[in-house]
């Protein structure tokens, strides 16, 4: 895959703009009806998220977070109201390009916010790199989105899959765990999370005894847990999220492994599911760019507002959706609502410092957050923050040639 440089983006944007009559790269074009309507009316926002399946709760939390940011800005970003167009992507990569095209071609969205699943994200990337549509990723960690397939119009407010897993390696060695088994779903996010862990763990001197996989979103863990018991590693490390993570924690405890072989993971393992799993998660340590217990004025205010509005506790996914709203309004405020000025939007979004509930973060050159990764521990129904596992961690952005 060739690298997608800024000058290519501007060239493609101009060509697309000439075809569609819209100013895809902020270049000067004759005013068209579409432009006039767009400038005056609501901004068309596509939400492509999972609303069914194992990641359904994650999609809802992201949308809630985004809507909370909007409400806190008086219902307007850059002085303009938003009109939402929604697609349930079902976390199904096979439907990803069709779903993204529905939003872009049929609904004519001006910014596409999505998604959760890394495989689905790869399909969205294909479409938005072609169309030049402004794109904000509020979860999917697919390394390529801000790596080999980075593009000027693609921004992320979450993480790369590598990022939260990398600091786990050092943590395990500090805990005296010299050997580990890694277990995950066989798809992009699982494999890349394993990659981050492998980088950190081998650098710290650890040995991975075995890498184990099951197809996404399969939750038949029993055979693998039996094999882990026989292998007797010092620790088990995993990437699971959503409903699958809750089932894994219950099965790990039921298999008698909890308390015998310490379990670790990137924090998706215990985020947003503590109400559902009860004691099975107690004491588990994870690393992530958010923790319920971050005791700052900013996080406490966010948590209170979210709980009041949605009658739910927020989690990392809600924060990422909220920050997607903050990022979009940073661009729109700078452009006074002129989303068609894409070059201006991009510049403003590149220069943000997001005052997030997770703590302030900035945008890397590849358009991914440079952020603190926290060490968390489950205490009761909370992912309690125990410290910072890695300060201001930037993804290596391998293969991104964007200037
Ligand atoms: C992913 O597929 O990128 C992903 C899904 C859920 C949580 C974290 C990452």
């Amino acid at each position: 895959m060739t690298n997608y440089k800024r000058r290519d983006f501007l060239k493609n944007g101009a060509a697309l703009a000439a075809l569609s009559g819209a100013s895809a790269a902020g270049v000067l074009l004759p005013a068209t009806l579409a432009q006039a309507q767009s400038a005056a009316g609501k901004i068309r926002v596509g939400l492509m998220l999972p609303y069914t399946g194992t990641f359904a709760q994650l999609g809802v939390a992201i949308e809630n977070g985004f809507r909370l940011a909007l409400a806190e800005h008086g219902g307007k970003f850059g002085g303009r109201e938003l009109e939402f167009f929604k697609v349930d992507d079902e976390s199904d990569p096979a439907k990803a390009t069709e779903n993204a095209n529905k939003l872009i071609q049929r609904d004519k969205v001006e910014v596409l916010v999505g998604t959760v699943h890394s495989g689905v994200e790869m399909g969205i990337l294909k479409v938005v790199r072609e169309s030049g549509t402004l794109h904000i990723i509020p979860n999917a960690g697919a390394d390529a989105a801000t790596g080999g397939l980075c593009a000027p119009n693609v921004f992320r407010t979450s993480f790369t899959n590598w990022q939260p897993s990398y600091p786990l390696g050092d943590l395990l060695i500090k805990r005296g765990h010299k050997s580990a088994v890694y277990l995950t779903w066989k798809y992009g996010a699982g494999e890349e999370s394993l990659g981050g862990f492998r980088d950190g763990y081998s650098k710290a001197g650890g040995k991975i005894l075995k890498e184990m996989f099951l197809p996404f979103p399969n939750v038949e863990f029993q055979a693998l847990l039996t094999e882990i018991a026989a292998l007797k590693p010092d620790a088990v490390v995993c990437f699971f999220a959503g409903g699958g993570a809750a089932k894994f924690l219950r099965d790990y405890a039921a298999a008698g492994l909890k308390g015998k072989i310490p379990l670790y993971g990137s924090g998706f393992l215990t985020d947003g599911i503590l109400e559902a799993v009860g004691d099975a998660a107690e004491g588990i340590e994870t690393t992530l760019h958010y923790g319920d217990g971050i005791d700052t004025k900013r996080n406490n205010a966010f948590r209170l507002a979210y709980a009041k509005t949605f009658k739910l506790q927020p989690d990392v996914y809600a924060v990422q959706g909220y920050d997607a709203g903050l990022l979009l309004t940073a661009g729109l405020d700078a452009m006074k609502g002129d989303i068609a000025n894409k070059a201006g939007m991009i510049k403003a979004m590149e220069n943000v410092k997001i005052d997030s509930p997770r703590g302030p973060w900035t945008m890397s050159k590849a358009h991914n957050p440079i952020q603190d990764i926290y060490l968390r521990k489950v205490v009761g129904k909370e992912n309690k923050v125990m410290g910072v596992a890695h300060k201001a961690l930037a993804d290596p952005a391998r293969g991104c040639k964007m200037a």
Side-chain angles (χ1 to χ4, degrees):
M1 179 61 70
T2 54
N3 282 306
Y4 197 59
K5 298 205 179 86
R6 184 177 306 274
R7 67 169 179 278
D8 300 328
F9 171 75
L10 292 172
K11 204 170 70 195
N12 289 350
L16 281 161
L19 279 176
S20 69
S23 175
V27 290
L28 203 57
L29 291 168
T32 63
L33 188 58
Q35 274 178 306
Q37 280 171 344
S38 165
K42 296 180 180 177
I43 291 172
R44 301 169 79 84
V45 178
L47 293 179
M48 183 163 157
L49 293 165
Y51 295 106
T52 52
T54 198
F55 290 159
Q57 265 188 27
L58 287 57
V60 171
I62 287 168
E63 180 175 344
N64 287 348
F66 190 92
R67 286 185 185 274
L68 180 61
L70 182 61
E72 289 180 355
H73 285 77
K76 290 182 180 175
F77 286 163
R80 292 177 64 188
E81 290 177 10
L82 309 188
E83 181 172 6
F84 289 100
F85 298 83
K86 288 172 52 166
V87 166
D88 174 9
D89 70 31
E90 304 165 53
S91 295
D92 185 352
K95 297 181 185 159
T97 54
E98 189 190 330
N99 281 330
N101 272 320
K102 264 187 209 158
L103 289 170
I104 290 170
Q105 310 287 351
R106 183 193 66 190
D107 300 330
K108 310 261 179 287
V109 301
E110 294 164 285
V111 53
L112 194 162
V113 179
T115 188
V116 167
H117 184 286
S118 279
V120 177
E121 180 53 41
M122 296 303 282
I124 297 181
L125 280 176
K126 216 180 274 172
V127 176
V128 296
R129 280 164 55 90
E130 281 283 312
S131 68
T133 310
L134 204 55
H135 176 40
I136 300 176
I137 307 168
N139 185 72
D143 289 348
T146 52
L149 296 180
C150 69
N153 55 320
V154 174
F155 289 83
R156 180 151 46 199
T157 60
S158 50
F159 56 89
T160 63
N161 290 320
W162 181 92
Q163 244 174 338
S165 288
Y166 176 75
L168 275 173
D170 203 39
L171 175 70
L172 257 72
I173 293 299
K174 280 189 183 131
R175 296 282 185 272
H177 307 317
K178 296 202 179 101
S179 68
V181 164
Y182 197 97
L183 172 61
T184 187
W185 281 311
K186 181 105 188 133
Y187 85 107
E191 288 169 317
E192 291 174 354
S193 298
L194 163 60
F197 173 68
R198 200 192 284 126
D199 281 0
Y201 197 43
S202 59
K203 195 167 153 193
K207 183 165 183 243
I208 300 180
L209 295 184
K210 186 148 189 191
E211 301 170 356
M212 296 178 169
F213 300 95
L214 68 169
F216 176 87
N218 191 318
V219 289
E220 299 310 315
F221 301 112
Q222 202 47 56
L224 296 173
L225 292 174
T226 304
E227 196 181 342
I228 287 171
L231 281 168
K232 296 190 177 49
D234 290 348
V236 173
V237 186
C238 64
F239 164 82
F240 292 112
K247 167 86 165 50
F248 179 71
L249 290 172
R250 282 194 297 264
D251 286 6
Y252 197 82
L257 293 177
K258 187 169 172 357
K260 264 200 197 142
I261 306 177
L263 176 63
Y264 297 84
S266 45
F268 310 108
L269 181 64
T270 57
D271 233 79
I273 56 152
L274 293 180
E275 294 293 336
V277 292
D279 286 351
E282 186 68 25
I284 290 177
E285 289 182 293
T286 59
T287 46
L288 200 66
H289 48 286
Y290 183 65
D292 311 322
I294 294 174
D295 191 16
T296 57
K297 224 169 124 183
R298 184 74 181 96
N299 188 43
N300 292 334
F302 165 77
R303 294 192 69 84
L304 188 64
Y306 189 95
K308 265 193 184 167
T309 310
F310 303 108
K311 313 288 177 255
L312 287 169
Q313 288 303 314
D315 53 23
V316 68
Y317 310 106
V319 171
Q320 294 166 173
Y322 184 76
D323 287 4
L326 297 187
L327 177 65
L328 183 58
T329 198
L332 285 168
D333 289 349
M335 292 301 105
K336 299 195 172 27
D338 183 10
I339 196 166
N341 184 347
K342 215 170 280 181
M345 287 288 298
I346 289 169
K347 192 157 174 232
M349 289 163 71
E350 283 174 335
N351 291 324
V352 289
K353 181 167 183 191
I354 298 287
D355 183 19
S356 168
R358 75 184 90 167
W361 59 266
T362 54
M363 198 60 90
S364 74
K365 285 211 165 83
H367 296 179
N368 188 68
I370 301 174
Q371 55 192 336
D372 292 348
I373 305 293
Y374 300 99
L375 168 62
R376 308 118 45 89
K377 185 174 186 170
V378 176
V379 180
K381 295 281 175 276
E382 185 178 301
N383 282 293
K384 205 172 161 63
V385 172
M386 310 304 286
V388 175
H390 199 120
K391 187 92 195 134
L393 184 61
D395 179 79
R398 292 174 185 128
C400 175
K401 295 278 159 40
M402 203 161 56

